Amino acid sequence: MPVITAHRPELRRNDYSLGEEQADVQAAFAELFARECPSSRVREAEPLGHDEGLWRSLVRTGAATMGLPEVLGGGGASPLDLALVAEAAGRHVAPVPLIEASVALRLLAEAAPDLARRWIGGALEDGRFPTLALHPVAPDGTRQLVPAGAVTGAVIALTGDELALYEGEPAPSVANQGRAPVAWWRPPSGGRTVLAEGDRARALYATAVREWKLLTAAALSGIGEGALALGLDFVKDRTAFDTPIGAFQAISHALADAHTGVVGARNLARKAAWFAGSEPDARPELVPMAFAYAAQAATKAVTVATHVQGGFGFTVESDVQLYFRRAKGWSVLAGDPRAELSAIGDLLADRVKG
């Protein structure tokens, strides 16, 4: 595993090729997840959807902290580097809350570096990590579903004008189609540390939620790619009338169409990541675009991959159902992805006004 260090961004505005260092990041994590996360391990992690051993392995490689500043012991990796890792995790539907922990730690490092050092210094190795509440806390304290809330040691949330870290024990996991360790959460009465207030609190929180959506978009593109690979392998081997069924246009065209969507989603997520790291104020609409489109493309890809396997694809013995359920589940953790259309419209209108 190469050491992840800060470097100049090499993915340009209209060029989706990767630089040498980013290609190394992509290859390293593709190999790691292929080796450490076969489908059998994904199945063993159900129904909670969390593999503690895999999580500890990732912590040892520095994957959980690679996006943190080097002064805090991180790798100084760019948003694009993190998106490439998220792609690899999605490609193997890895049962670890890598995105949630990475985003929450980056937020903690920006808001309270000394507190972040404490988490980095030992809590991660002990299997504890912070996660992010994707919606501000309601005035009446109404509960919300929190990603990784069933396995986390703390939740960062925006409560009124305050960004706070709430420490406590994990809540019971909520049964869900995506086999994600989500849990109902509401702010506890104690164990609260205020990280920021006012405009700074709101800005830090908004940035973290955007980053979660960006990395989840990358992971969803990976899910779509992984599902289509399973479908392609199946249609190459399955025959009808002494011919591989992949030769039939009804199947090959559907796979090609879904693949086009997944590649587009991957490129859009990478473009959004490049702007997030290089020109964060230039194209803010790219993140909701990437998230909404990745959810759509991944859902179509897993549906096609399931259908081309015929009756087998709808059984629990087929690995494609792992991808189908996660594409459906992961894409709605923050709510209906179609709601992003309003955000896109508002951001584009602001650009025109500006």
Side-chain angles (χ1 to χ4, degrees), residues 66-217:
M66 61 182 282
L68 298 178
E70 294 181 38
V71 295
L72 293 180
S78 70
L80 179 56
D81 293 321
L82 299 179
L84 295 174
V85 177
E87 282 180 25
R91 175 67 174 75
H92 297 276
V93 288
V96 285
L98 187 58
I99 292 173
E100 288 77 14
S102 177
V103 169
L105 285 171
R106 281 167 60 86
L107 173 57
L108 198 58
E110 182 69 22
D114 291 339
L115 188 58
R117 284 190 180 91
R118 176 167 70 82
W119 282 89
I120 299 166
L124 289 178
E125 283 290 350
D126 294 337
R128 299 179 73 245
F129 53 87
T131 189
L132 179 70
L134 297 176
H135 303 283
V137 174
D140 60 357
T142 302
R143 66 180 186 172
Q144 62 175 289
L145 281 175
V146 172
V151 293
T152 187
V155 176
I156 301 177
L158 183 68
T159 305
D161 289 334
E162 295 181 335
L163 183 68
L165 176 75
Y166 296 87
E167 298 191 51
E169 294 299 318
S173 177
V174 174
N176 63 96
Q177 178 173 265
R179 294 298 196 264
V182 299
W184 288 114
W185 177 86
R186 58 166 52 94
S189 57
R192 177 174 181 268
T193 302
V194 175
L195 306 175
E197 298 179 279
D199 290 343
R200 182 168 183 263
R202 288 186 289 272
L204 287 170
Y205 178 74
T207 297
V209 172
R210 283 196 302 271
E211 189 168 279
W212 182 91
K213 291 180 178 179
L214 170 61
L215 298 184
T216 300

Side-chain angles (χ1 to χ4, degrees), residues 223-224 226-235 245 248-262 296-314 318 320-321 323-324 327-328:
I223 286 177
L228 290 176
L230 291 174
L232 185 60
D233 287 343
F234 185 90
V235 302
I245 63 173
F248 302 144
Q249 289 186 354
I251 290 178
S252 61
H253 287 187
L255 286 169
D257 187 42
H259 173 71
T260 300
V262 167
Q296 175 183 320
T299 299
K300 180 174 182 178
V302 297
T303 300
V304 170
T306 300
H307 277 259
V308 300
Q309 290 192 8
F312 176 66
F314 291 87
S318 170
V320 78
Q321 56 84 21
Y323 289 81
F324 185 95
K328 288 285 192 175

